Amino acid sequence: MRKQILIVGAGFSGMWAALSAARLADMHPYQTVDITVIAPQPELRVRPRFYESAVQTLVAPLQPLFDATGISFLQGTVTQLQPASKAVMWTDACGEAHSQPYDRLILASGSHVNRSFVAGAHAHAFDLDQLESAAVLEQHLKALAHKEESDARNTVVVCGGGFTGIEMALELPARLREILGRDAKTRVVVVERGPQPGARYSDALRDVIVGASAELGVEWLVNAEVESVDACGITLKGGQRIASQTVIWTVGVQANGLTAQIDAPRDPQGRLHVNSQLQVTGYDDIYATGDVAYAATDDKGHYALMTCQHAILLGKFAGNNAAAGLLGVAPLPYRQENYVTCLDLGAWGAVYTEGWDQQVKLTRAEAKKLKRSITSELIYPPKADKAVAFGIADPLAPFV
Ligand SMILES: Cc1cc2nc3c(=O)[nH]c(=O)nc-3n(C[C@H](O)[C@H](O)[C@H](O)COP(=O)(O)OP(=O)(O)OC[C@H]3O[C@@H](n4cnc5c(N)ncnc54)[C@H](O)[C@@H]3O)c2cc1C
């Protein structure tokens, strides 16, 4: 009887899980394993680039790749996981409900920024978390040119000084000059709860972030917490106001809500605890990968972060191991010793670090060149060619 692997999500992790499972199934053609992906669109949305302009173009089609590799695609949204009956309920684009059975389920439904825990943020702040919301932000920024000149119009507040906030903030001085003109007196402020800019990073990386921010005129307000957001700006705890027509929210990222439908331990961000095979604790037939997985990367106490570099490799191992279970092949324990970061710093350039201790290896134009090659080539889907895609889908193929 044919066995079914069902993958929820066609992002970085879901796409690679599907390819890796298809690769292993292809290596055992006497067995019959079918691989199906369910997602709202057959496209990879390149979230790491959503701080850039022309955001609607930052997608890559997946249907030709799935066709070339024998992966079935169902266009829709999963609404309910039913582990007891090994099925998921999903709704198609016309709103019709369906049930889809599985022998192995791979949850790869990603994450989203949560704007609802600060008063007014949901209604008045923008974000760059998903294609639709990033497109709304881009339209808003462009429309500033047609608004009456004021401090509030010329000021952008970025809430949160993590990687997403930094990349957005340091991109903005040039973007605002393009939109408002070279002579406009623009202001970009990063509001950060920590005691200094980049406080959670290594000293070397922090120094680069501080230097680049200063050179581009990006201000940091540290030890600062947002109390509320309204149509005219933000109020900080302590009462300080910043007038702004553009407040961008980047903090409070949570794993996709489907994780809460599985009765298993989760981390504070909602990620499901998984073992080294990437099976969810207590469920041999359910795997979690990418931003929904809380997975140890090594034996030194490091865990996967919500990043593409982890999502891609987690996906390859999850797909391989789900197929291995059905094919009677030994699974591969997930390991990802290397950790690098490459942070875009706008007109200043970029910074590239290696290791969990974030040693700075490249800066400025050299790092920017690397950043471009990562975000416009490395993380894009492979060519729609079975041999090429399966070669890269091998979990043990060289990666960063
Ligand atoms: C602005 C921004 C900048 C970033 N910068 C970087 C960076 O520089 N470097 C880096 O490594 N990472 C970066 N990241 C993080 C990176 O984008 C994520 O870690 C990565 O996308 C996670 O991959 P994923 O496959 O788990 O989830 P996603 O890529 O989000 O894919 C999730 C998939 O699940 C689908 N889905 C969701 N819900 C359902 C449902 N109910 N039913 C069916 N399908 C569903 C979605 O449509 C999508 O196809 C950034 C993220 C953002 C938002």
Side-chain angles (χ1 to χ4, degrees):
M1 200 167 117
R2 301 187 79 83
K3 299 283 186 187
Q4 307 290 333
I5 297 178
L6 182 62
I7 298 160
V8 181
F12 294 94
S13 222
M15 172 190 71
W16 282 110
L19 291 171
S20 186
R23 168 188 168 273
L24 202 65
D26 190 63
M27 289 164 69
H28 298 81
Y30 51 91
Q31 306 254 20
T32 44
V33 174
D34 292 331
I35 291 125
T36 302
V37 175
I38 303 186
Q41 305 85 17
E43 64 189 23
L44 179 77
R45 297 180 158 200
V46 188
R47 294 175 70 199
R49 297 184 62 183
F50 285 177
Y51 63 93
E52 296 181 22
S53 52
V55 76
Q56 298 280 14
T57 65
L58 303 177
V59 294
L62 291 177
Q63 195 63 61
L65 177 64
F66 289 162
D67 291 344
T69 49
I71 294 165
S72 304
F73 180 75
L74 295 174
Q75 183 153 10
T77 302
V78 172
T79 52
Q80 212 186 339
L81 307 179
Q82 299 174 325
S85 52
K86 289 188 169 231
V88 306
M89 293 301 297
W90 63 283
T91 307
D92 66 23
C94 303
E96 205 167 312
H98 306 266
S99 173
Q100 184 71 18
Y102 63 80
D103 294 289
R104 297 287 184 273
L105 177 70
I106 303 179
L107 192 60
S109 48
S111 60
H112 60 92
V113 76
N114 183 2
R115 284 196 259 132
S116 56
F117 62 93
V118 164
H122 188 70
H124 300 291
F126 296 87
D127 71 60
L128 57 149
D129 188 61
Q130 304 292 330
L131 186 73
E132 293 79 5
S133 55
V136 169
L137 169 62
E138 185 174 9
Q139 281 310 314
H140 168 84
L141 287 171
K142 283 184 184 157
L144 289 175
H146 309 295
K147 296 198 171 174
E148 197 181 326
E149 160 116 50
S150 68
D151 285 349
R153 183 199 71 160
N154 290 2
T155 300
V156 178
V157 176
V158 177
C159 300
F163 283 162
T164 301
I166 293 169
E167 290 195 321
M168 183 76 251
L170 273 72
E171 161 93 357
L172 278 167
R175 281 273 281 284
L176 291 175
R177 271 198 303 277
E178 244 173 59
I179 294 166
L180 301 176
R182 297 205 68 78
D183 299 329
K185 278 188 70 187
T186 61
R187 187 177 175 215
V188 177
V189 186
V190 181
V191 174
E192 165 59 36
R193 198 162 47 169
Q196 49 185 315
R200 66 194 93 167
Y201 308 127
S202 70
D203 291 352
L205 178 55
R206 191 164 57 238
D207 287 348
V208 173
I209 293 166
V210 169
S213 300
E215 199 170 301
L216 297 180
V218 171
E219 296 170 40
W220 284 72
L221 212 54
V222 294
N223 294 315
E225 262 189 77
V226 181
E227 171 79 38
S228 62
V229 184
D230 56 54
C232 305
I234 63 164
T235 305
L236 299 176
K237 286 188 177 151
Q240 188 182 345
R241 283 281 302 168
I242 305 177
S244 170
Q245 291 176 5
T246 313
V247 176
I248 304 176
W249 199 261
T250 69
V251 290
V253 177
Q254 285 289 315
N256 175 267
L258 290 174
T259 52
Q261 295 185 17
I262 300 180
D263 184 14
R266 286 176 286 140
D267 82 340
Q269 287 180 286
R271 298 185 298 171
L272 290 157
H273 286 228
V274 291
N275 63 17
S276 66
Q277 290 189 44
L278 306 182
Q279 290 161 309
V280 173
T281 307
Y283 297 85
D284 288 350
D285 54 354
I286 303 182
Y287 295 72
T289 180
D291 283 1
V292 297
Y294 180 66
T297 58
D298 55 29
D299 297 326
K300 297 172 199 141
H302 298 121
Y303 281 79
L305 301 173
M306 286 183 170
T307 68
C308 275
Q309 101 187 252
H310 290 109
I312 289 170
L313 204 59
L314 281 164
K316 293 181 188 179
F317 277 88
N320 180 84
N321 289 346
L326 295 175
L327 295 166
V329 175
L332 295 171
Y334 166 68
R335 276 287 167 274
Q336 190 162 5
E337 305 273 342
N338 285 350
Y339 171 58
V340 302
T341 64
C342 199
L343 189 61
D344 199 337
L345 299 174
W348 187 89
V351 56
Y352 167 72
T353 72
E354 287 180 358
W356 286 93
D357 55 351
Q358 296 174 326
Q359 304 156 46
V360 172
K361 297 288 180 184
L362 297 174
T363 56
R364 298 259 187 192
E366 247 185 319
K368 190 85 159 188
K369 197 169 154 208
L370 179 63
K371 177 76 178 177
R372 288 212 177 100
S373 76
I374 293 171
T375 54
S376 6
E377 290 164 35
L378 183 75
I379 63 173
Y380 270 68
K383 198 170 142 190
D385 174 293
K386 188 168 142 179
V388 172
F390 284 177
I392 311 173
D394 180 352
L396 302 180
F399 188 50
V400 289

